[in-house]
Amino acid sequence: MPKPKLFAVVHTPYFRLQCAQQKLLNAEIESNRQTNLPFFGESKTVPKTGDKIPSALLNDAEIIEINPAADAGGVSIGITPSLALARAPELQIYSSVAEQEEQQQEALLQLCYRYSPFIENTSPGVCTLDLRGRKDQHQEWWTRELLTQWRILGFTAQIGIGPNPELAEQAAKFANPYLEVNANSQLLRSLPLESLQPSHELLDILHNWGIRTLGELIRLPREDFGVRLGLEGLALWDRASGRSTKVLHHMQPPETFRESIDLEQRLETLEPLLFVLRRSLEHLTLRVEAVYRLVAEIRLLLLLDNEETLERTLQIPAPTRDVAVLFRVLAQYLETVQTTAPVVGFALEVFASNPGKHQFNLFQSGLKDPNRFFNTLARLAALVGNNRVGIPEKIATHRPDSVRMQWPAFDWMDKTPTSTKPPRIGPALRRYRPPIPATVELISGKPAKIQSQSVNGEINKLAGPWRSSGDWWHTDRWDIQEWDIELAQGGLYRLTLSAGSWSITGGYD
Amino acid sequence: MPPSGKIIELRQVLAERFPRELPPPSSLLATGIDCLDRPLEGGLRRGSITQLVAPLPSSGSASLLHELIESMQAASQFVALIDGKNSFELIDPANLLLWIRCDNVSQAIRAADLIIRDGNIVLSILDLKQNEARELRKVPATAWYRLQRVTAEFETTLLLITSYYISGSSIAALQINNPLRITDFTELSSTISQSRLIDFIYRKNHHVEPQYAQA
């Protein structure tokens, strides 16, 4: 026996209004912190949000969305803001923000994709999930989880489950916050015809027949109804009876994770910026988690008051979803940033990667916490200088002391040790940087006595000279003579003659 | 003032009657250099500071340092070299070596603190051999003590190389006693390192007296 089909619809009531509220809330919380006002207080700067406060969304001088409190206060869609305010003086009016709506719709799709690979981007704030393949009989646990995640992002929604997308959507509209219905559900039968959004002509005909609810509609014989009202009528009957086979337009949610906020006030200090960044980071991480990925890169764009922008991409050495780790990377970078003007907005984007697979060989070990390690490296670089910490690498030249510091690559921990080298001869050198200038007495063209600020004495034994030169085609060509000397009182040193001047370039130790 | 003969005798009796328990092998980090591992009974103690004193200008401490880095590389272990006077001379490529080039002792100690707290590096080497004694003396005892506490807390291993003994911070202090000669230029580096004469000058909870007490 085939398993009955099941669909779920996540319905976010007055979605566009919620988006606008969410955007303003982020910005206002920030300005509130900046002025050190208590967040919990009834401060003038804190916007009043939620179902109990009458709120409406404005677009082109017209109210286009309202919440239930505004509806109860007599505000209706299509009226002007002045009329709306006259009816409900407490009304909060928000402007629509298309970018925010787009980002939040993507977030909704990403969250839903976690629970079903077959989803449809039905309309703003609405996502339909095809639940075929889900083995669990009880839908409540995952719907609750999904609603919680959506609430963390700042949205309240309802979920309806039914045998077809239309019924599921109807159930979602009446859910509190979750409702599962079947075709024979009494609730569905009592729904008005308008809930299926038939054409005006069809609706007028049915009203003239005295039919107001879906239950009354499906009591009519299907064939006779079809003969009188044609295909459109048949389709409506099927949808009302739960027979509809609407084809879902399956899609994959975009893998972009971006949040942008225009701050209400200009930020001149780091702390309030970090506060709001952390919040955005939490949201983005949640979305990344929904698609079972890890954050590998963070791109931060700061918008400055003088219309300049500051953009920086930060790599995450070991991709993670740990907000604390990601925030540390972000905070550490921002601590080093000096902007030319106060910050008035930002865009934060994270790039996801698949969880890495790595297997060390038998004798290889990895870093315990690569993210912490690269964090430490950045601190070390701040302490000693950028080019003074890293993996030393010899430059392909014979010029003495030619070494460059390589910033460890992210796969540093995967590096295998260098292969077997031929055995070295002689003791190692401790190089004096810079070399110590010296006065050298020569006997028969060989150094016999040395004087400098730290090394003085008769030269007991010596070896050399070792001559080398290079880069003669450059202005910084070099041509040196090196001697290895042993002083009478002990101590082996390297003496160098370059451009007619003697210096001690190192001590053997 | 050197301790009296009775005290030395008493310590010897106690040491014979209650032989010191050897640390478990897991708490030791074998360096692969015999002249270091042998006196340390297996290697450097994890979670502790071991001090290597090289009082002579050319005693082979840099050669030992290179040998140690090479040995750790061969064992695929990460090493951090905190170079107090930016004097390290790279001879061979070292993929697993993190070199931190400091200008002074204060910077080096702060860098060591960061590296130890990081907890990712198996062996940290704080090389202060080239730093002047007067600079080292300016470091308050509390700074060494703090370094010791951090090392213990994060269970990392720190090898401290200095030109004179700094008391109080390390679990053991070894001293290289033989100077290099110009004839050593014809010797293999490994031979030079292995031929270093290394003696204890301090060992925590051990009856061997510090060298200065015998002078």
Side-chain angles (χ1 to χ4, degrees):
Chain A
M1 188 180 155
K3 214 175 168 182
K5 284 186 177 178
L6 213 53
F7 295 86
V9 169
V10 182
H11 171 71
T12 315
Y14 45 95
F15 172 70
R16 297 179 67 187
L17 175 61
Q18 287 199 53
C19 284
Q21 284 178 325
Q22 191 56 32
K23 184 177 187 298
L24 197 66
L25 188 69
N26 279 339
E28 287 290 338
I29 282 173
E30 192 40 49
S31 63
N32 202 29
R33 273 181 62 83
Q34 201 184 20
T35 50
N36 296 322
L37 292 174
F39 172 50
F40 48 82
E42 280 291 312
S43 155
K44 283 180 185 174
T45 56
V46 178
K48 295 170 182 173
T49 57
D51 286 349
K52 289 178 184 170
I53 310 297
S55 308
L57 186 72
L58 183 71
N59 194 18
D60 289 338
E62 194 177 281
I63 300 294
I64 57 164
E65 252 185 24
I66 53 171
N67 69 354
D71 191 25
V75 180
S76 55
I77 291 170
I79 63 173
T80 59
S82 51
L83 181 57
L85 280 169
R87 288 181 183 176
E90 291 248 316
L91 186 72
Q92 300 275 330
I93 298 180
Y94 299 86
S95 300
S96 68
V97 230
E99 193 190 4
Q100 181 85 353
E101 288 164 18
E102 199 180 314
Q103 286 171 11
Q104 299 302 347
Q105 182 69 13
E106 281 177 8
L108 174 64
L109 297 173
Q110 284 156 356
L111 292 184
C112 291
Y113 194 63
R114 185 184 177 89
Y115 301 99
S116 169
F118 310 108
I119 60 166
E120 183 196 59
N121 183 7
T122 310
S123 60
V126 180
C127 178
T128 307
L129 294 84
D130 184 342
L131 298 180
R132 74 180 126 153
R134 279 200 78 90
K135 289 181 181 163
D136 40 358
Q137 294 295 314
H138 304 288
Q139 314 292 340
E140 211 169 332
W141 71 266
W142 71 263
T143 52
R144 192 170 293 156
E145 192 179 85
L146 174 55
L147 288 174
T148 307
Q149 290 173 346
W150 196 216
R151 199 173 300 123
I152 291 172
L153 297 187
F155 292 84
T156 50
Q158 295 144 217
I159 295 183
I161 293 181
N164 64 46
E166 285 90 350
L167 287 184
E169 189 168 356
Q170 294 312 316
K173 286 177 184 169
F174 292 89
N176 183 26
Y178 161 78
L179 180 64
E180 186 169 351
V181 295
N182 55 41
N184 300 320
S185 166
Q186 196 56 43
L187 173 79
L188 279 176
R189 293 187 173 209
S190 64
L191 288 179
L193 288 175
E194 287 83 350
S195 61
L196 289 183
Q197 297 172 335
S199 66
H200 289 296
E201 296 79 25
L202 195 59
L203 192 64
D204 285 343
I205 294 169
L206 291 172
H207 279 174
N208 288 336
W209 290 359
I211 293 168
R212 308 272 170 196
T213 64
L214 302 185
E216 289 166 359
L217 174 66
I218 59 171
R219 272 205 293 273
L220 299 173
R222 181 176 182 271
E223 283 71 26
D224 294 344
F225 189 78
V227 168
R228 284 168 178 80
L229 295 176
L231 284 175
E232 192 191 354
L234 269 183
L236 183 69
W237 196 96
D238 285 345
R239 283 161 66 199
S241 64
R243 282 194 198 175
S244 162
T245 50
K246 178 191 167 189
V247 179
L248 290 187
H249 299 285
H250 291 157
M251 56 89 66
Q252 273 203 320
E255 291 212 348
T256 50
F257 306 92
R258 188 172 195 272
E259 271 204 11
S260 56
I261 288 180
D262 296 324
L263 300 163
E264 288 293 296
Q265 291 193 4
R266 306 179 317 159
L267 299 185
E268 292 177 353
T269 54
L270 181 60
E271 195 211 348
L273 179 64
L274 286 178
F275 176 80
V276 73
L277 276 172
R278 181 166 185 128
R279 193 186 165 107
S280 288
L281 205 54
E282 281 168 0
H283 291 175
L284 293 171
T285 313
L286 184 73
R287 288 165 58 184
V288 171
E289 188 179 0
V291 290
Y292 300 100
R293 307 287 289 277
L294 301 171
V295 177
E297 205 174 291
I298 302 174
R299 185 180 295 162
L300 175 69
L301 177 78
L302 292 178
L303 307 170
L304 306 183
D305 200 21
N306 57 4
E307 297 188 351
E308 282 182 14
T309 55
L310 188 70
E311 190 174 347
R312 175 71 189 245
T313 302
L314 303 159
Q315 304 280 344
I316 308 300
T320 178
R321 285 192 298 256
D322 188 337
V323 178
V325 172
L326 299 172
F327 181 69
R328 202 162 55 214
V329 172
L330 206 57
Q332 199 179 356
Y333 160 66
L334 285 171
E335 276 168 15
T336 63
V337 168
Q338 282 196 330
T339 57
T340 51
V343 177
V344 291
F346 69 85
L348 192 65
E349 189 170 8
V350 299
F351 296 90
S353 77
N354 287 320
K357 300 181 199 77
H358 187 86
Q359 187 173 353
F360 293 111
N361 69 34
L362 191 58
F363 301 105
Q364 208 176 7
S365 59
L367 294 172
K368 283 185 209 161
D369 184 350
N371 285 325
R372 190 185 175 93
F373 177 71
F374 283 93
N375 199 357
T376 304
L377 277 188
R379 283 172 188 273
L380 285 169
L383 176 69
V384 297
N386 260 333
N387 54 351
R388 293 172 73 92
V389 57
I391 312 290
E393 190 185 70
K394 278 190 95 71
I395 301 170
T397 171
H398 291 288
R399 184 196 282 263
D401 199 21
S402 293
V403 63
R404 66 171 152 242
M405 303 296 276
Q406 290 280 87
W407 191 254
F410 296 141
D411 61 346
W412 185 52
M413 54 295 269
D414 305 345
K415 293 269 183 195
T416 46
T418 38
S419 53
T420 321
K421 299 168 288 286
R424 288 194 317 271
I425 309 279
L429 183 79
R430 284 184 184 276
R431 187 167 285 278
Y432 299 155
R433 298 184 178 98
I436 303 166
T439 308
V440 175
E441 272 181 36
L442 300 176
I443 297 176
S444 311
K446 290 181 178 178
K449 195 175 178 184
I450 181 169
Q451 272 191 323
S452 74
Q453 63 176 38
S454 56
V455 180
N456 297 291
E458 301 275 340
I459 296 171
N460 197 16
K461 290 174 183 169
L462 56 79
W466 321 113
R467 292 193 172 93
S468 57
S469 62
D471 293 340
W472 51 265
W473 55 93
H474 277 167
T475 48
D476 62 339
R477 60 178 170 270
W478 53 279
D479 185 357
I480 56 170
Q481 247 187 56
E482 289 178 325
W483 298 79
D484 294 329
I485 59 166
E486 183 182 338
L487 295 185
Q489 70 269 29
L492 297 174
Y493 298 94
R494 182 181 289 179
L495 200 58
T496 303
L497 176 65
S498 174
S501 304
W502 289 96
S503 60
I504 306 165
T505 45
Y508 290 98
D509 187 18
Chain B
M1 192 180 86
S4 70
K6 279 188 179 176
I7 292 175
I8 293 171
E9 202 176 312
L10 179 64
R11 283 179 180 168
Q12 280 170 351
V13 170
L14 285 172
E16 281 166 18
R17 188 163 294 179
F18 306 104
R20 198 166 52 91
E21 201 178 319
L22 286 174
S26 61
S27 68
L28 296 170
L29 178 70
T31 63
I33 302 168
D34 196 43
C35 66
L36 270 181
D37 285 349
R38 201 168 1 91
L40 291 168
E41 292 167 347
L44 303 169
R45 182 77 68 90
R46 290 182 202 269
S48 308
I49 302 176
T50 307
Q51 195 180 344
L52 184 66
V53 182
L56 302 170
S58 298
S59 53
S61 66
S63 303
L64 250 167
L65 176 67
H66 278 269
E67 201 68 20
L68 178 56
I69 290 169
E70 217 163 83
S71 166
M72 297 304 285
Q73 298 272 309
S76 295
Q77 302 281 6
F78 305 108
V79 180
L81 171 64
I82 303 124
D83 191 353
K85 197 72 178 172
N86 188 18
S87 64
F88 180 72
E89 173 79 351
L90 182 70
I91 301 170
D92 296 312
N95 284 344
L96 302 181
L97 170 70
L98 182 72
W99 181 20
I100 302 146
R101 306 166 77 166
C102 304
D103 287 326
N104 51 52
V105 174
S106 155
Q107 208 176 49
I109 289 178
R110 277 189 287 165
D113 186 68
L114 281 173
I115 278 288
I116 293 165
R117 281 177 195 279
D118 180 74
N120 279 295
I121 301 288
V122 176
L123 172 64
S124 306
I125 304 168
L126 177 56
D127 184 6
L128 303 176
K129 165 77 195 295
Q130 286 305 108
N131 294 83
E132 289 175 24
R134 62 186 163 87
E135 196 188 354
L136 276 170
R137 282 193 195 100
K138 280 183 189 169
V139 179
T142 50
W144 298 115
Y145 178 70
R146 199 160 50 236
L147 210 57
Q148 179 204 350
R149 299 288 299 175
V150 173
T151 310
E153 189 184 337
F154 289 87
E155 290 188 358
T156 49
T157 311
L158 181 68
L159 178 67
L160 172 65
I161 304 176
T162 53
S163 54
Y164 77 97
Y165 173 60
I166 298 165
S167 64
S169 61
S170 49
I171 194 159
L174 301 152
Q175 182 168 297
I176 309 175
N177 290 319
N178 51 334
L180 290 175
R181 299 282 175 216
I182 205 154
T183 47
D184 288 324
F185 280 105
T186 55
E187 296 284 339
L188 285 173
S189 301
S190 53
T191 314
I192 296 169
S193 306
Q194 297 290 359
S195 64
R196 297 299 90 200
L197 296 174
I198 294 180
D199 294 320
F200 273 109
I201 53 171
Y202 172 72
R203 202 169 179 188
K204 199 171 182 181
N205 303 329
H206 199 270
H207 68 277
V208 172
E209 284 306 311
Q211 204 178 56
Y212 61 80
Q214 295 166 354

